[in-house]
Amino acid sequence: MDELPIGRRVAYWRGRRKMSQQVFADRLGKSKSWVDKIERGVRRLDKFSVLYEIADILQVDVQLLLGKDPERRTDALNCIDQIEVEEIRAALERYDSISAYFDAAPCPPPLPDMGKAVTHAWLTYQYGRYGMLTRALPKLLRDAQAADAVYGGDQSQRAAHLLGQVYQIASSVLRKLGECELAWLAADRSIAVSQRADDQLLAGVATTRVCNALAAMGRSRPALELNVRIANQLAPGGRNDSRPERLSVYGMLLLQGAMAASRIGDTATVEDLLNGAHEAAGEVGSDLNHYWTSFGPTNVELHRAAAAVELGDGGRAIEVHQNKIQPALFDAMLPERRAHHLLDLARAYTQIGDAANAGEMLLRGDRLAPSEVRCRPIAHEVMSDVLRRTRGAPPSPIAELAEHMGVGV
């Protein structure tokens, strides 16, 4: 970013905030042509008053637009920023294991301490605290990579297992925040490391992370095929046991396959995979968190509703929520799962033209896990849709949330 012309930086951050040139120009009080010339470098941006106004609209430190590192603020919006993206990228670009082959190995923390840090990171993710997690990820990645490079013997598989989990955590949060290519890289690394950890179930969960990243990049067909192929390998029966851990990973592969199928409009495959996951969840019995999957009967229904939204059937998604999901069991789910579902419901309500209920779902999700609503690009799209469909001025809670999200009212 430092080497980019200032106009390119403006264009980058406008894109991150999901603003069109026209919307950005309107908020700035300029023409679309003026914005286009600034971003292409045809026109100079040399007035500091305008620069500060642009920074305010884009919700970034003006130093970022000037190609400098801003002062880090503890009260910053609880989302990822470009500095954190670059720090995570730098951590993912490390190759400690090959470096240790040629030179002195790095000094990692003890494995028990690493295990506690990884557990804390998973819980931070599942409670929807993405800003806190992205700030911690670079060090966690470096520590886990160092541990994988150094520990040998009986400890090598444990170190690889922990690194595989850290890559999965990184992939999951990066995908949520719209950094899909980095999410794919982290997930791909997780698959390779999981094989060295000699844990088929860890590799199965890593597969779902790869497929989620592929789907987010518009590669839903390969995502569907890979999820189903690995699910078939891990299916209980024959030489495979029927432990809840295996059923959970198998079920999640089917659920993510259903989501990929829904994105390409394959209704029959969606139904088939959801039914398979429902059977697996019935054998598990309740919603558990083996391998951090939160898999069980309630999570299957959350995915059934999400798949209906992807298929454009908002009415069906709302029906599933009202008739298939028990409130007490839903309330027992972790915050990220619940807020994610509320965001899906908001999308469902916009599909049937009910802006009021869509807005209410966003507000409920924001109260539960603010980062899930304020930081995800898809949530910004939903809020924009709610504002467009609202007649007159939006209710003050919606207007306030839209302002926090940086979505123009």
Side-chain angles (χ1 to χ4, degrees), residues 79-393:
C79 299
I80 198 167
D81 63 30
Q82 188 58 27
I83 293 176
E84 289 157 358
V85 170
E86 293 309 317
E87 287 177 351
I88 293 170
R89 186 190 307 278
L92 287 170
E93 289 172 348
R94 291 168 63 94
Y95 289 87
D96 284 348
S97 57
I98 191 64
S99 298
Y101 178 75
F102 292 104
D103 203 351
C107 183
L111 286 182
D113 291 348
M114 273 298 310
K116 292 177 182 177
V118 172
T119 296
H120 182 264
W122 272 121
L123 291 172
T124 303
Y125 173 76
Q126 292 193 326
Y127 276 81
R129 297 167 183 163
Y130 305 146
M132 181 185 301
L133 180 56
T134 55
R135 288 189 287 274
L137 260 178
K139 182 179 186 302
L140 186 61
L141 281 162
R142 291 191 296 268
D143 286 347
Q145 289 166 330
D148 182 59
V150 169
Y151 288 111
D154 295 339
Q155 294 180 308
S156 63
Q157 287 187 352
R158 175 60 176 159
H161 202 285
L162 290 171
L163 177 57
Q165 292 185 64
V166 174
Y167 281 142
Q168 288 187 32
I169 296 166
S171 177
S172 297
V173 72
L174 287 166
R175 178 181 57 83
K176 289 257 193 188
L177 300 176
E179 297 291 340
C180 299
E181 291 185 3
L182 276 184
W184 179 83
L185 173 62
D188 186 68
R189 293 273 185 86
S190 180
I191 283 188
V193 174
S194 298
Q195 293 175 64
R196 286 198 287 104
D198 195 25
D199 186 336
Q200 288 188 347
L201 301 186
L202 183 67
V205 180
T207 300
T208 67
R209 313 296 180 192
V210 166
C211 293
N212 285 342
L214 286 172
M217 293 189 292
R219 304 285 295 158
S220 296
R221 177 67 68 182
L224 167 61
E225 293 172 354
L226 181 56
N227 272 313
V228 171
R229 185 162 70 248
I230 302 305
N232 289 336
Q233 294 293 322
L234 292 179
R239 293 178 299 173
N240 292 337
D241 59 68
S242 297
R243 291 176 298 138
E245 293 88 340
R246 180 179 294 275
L247 286 164
S248 295
V249 175
Y250 166 70
M252 282 306 296
L253 283 159
L254 295 180
L255 289 180
Q256 297 309 318
M259 293 307 302
S262 69
R263 291 187 177 98
I264 56 178
D266 189 344
T267 307
T269 299
V270 169
E271 197 63 26
D272 183 50
L273 293 175
L274 286 173
N275 289 340
H278 178 77
E279 291 179 13
E283 294 187 51
V284 172
S286 59
D287 295 282
L288 303 173
N289 206 13
H290 294 300
Y291 283 81
W292 306 98
T293 58
S294 296
F295 181 76
T298 307
N299 206 357
V300 170
E301 298 307 321
L302 300 189
H303 281 79
R304 192 182 303 277
V309 171
E310 292 296 336
L311 288 166
D313 192 351
R316 170 62 176 157
I318 295 165
E319 179 186 337
V320 169
H321 173 76
Q322 293 174 342
N323 300 328
K324 299 287 187 179
I325 299 172
Q326 298 181 38
L329 296 179
F330 177 69
D331 290 343
M333 301 289 285
L334 287 157
E336 179 273 336
R337 281 279 76 221
R338 286 184 282 158
H340 188 132
H341 176 64
L342 291 170
L343 178 53
D344 285 332
L345 282 179
R347 296 174 65 197
Y349 278 113
T350 62
Q351 287 176 353
I352 65 170
D354 188 342
N357 270 315
E360 178 60 28
M361 295 303 106
L362 289 177
L363 291 171
R364 285 178 57 187
D366 182 66
R367 288 193 291 269
L368 188 62
S371 293
E372 182 71 15
V373 173
R374 301 186 186 194
C375 301
R376 294 194 59 192
I378 185 65
H380 288 220
E381 293 177 19
V382 177
M383 176 57 85
S384 295
D385 203 2
V386 168
L387 296 176
R388 282 196 303 270
R389 292 172 181 270
T390 301
R391 293 182 178 179

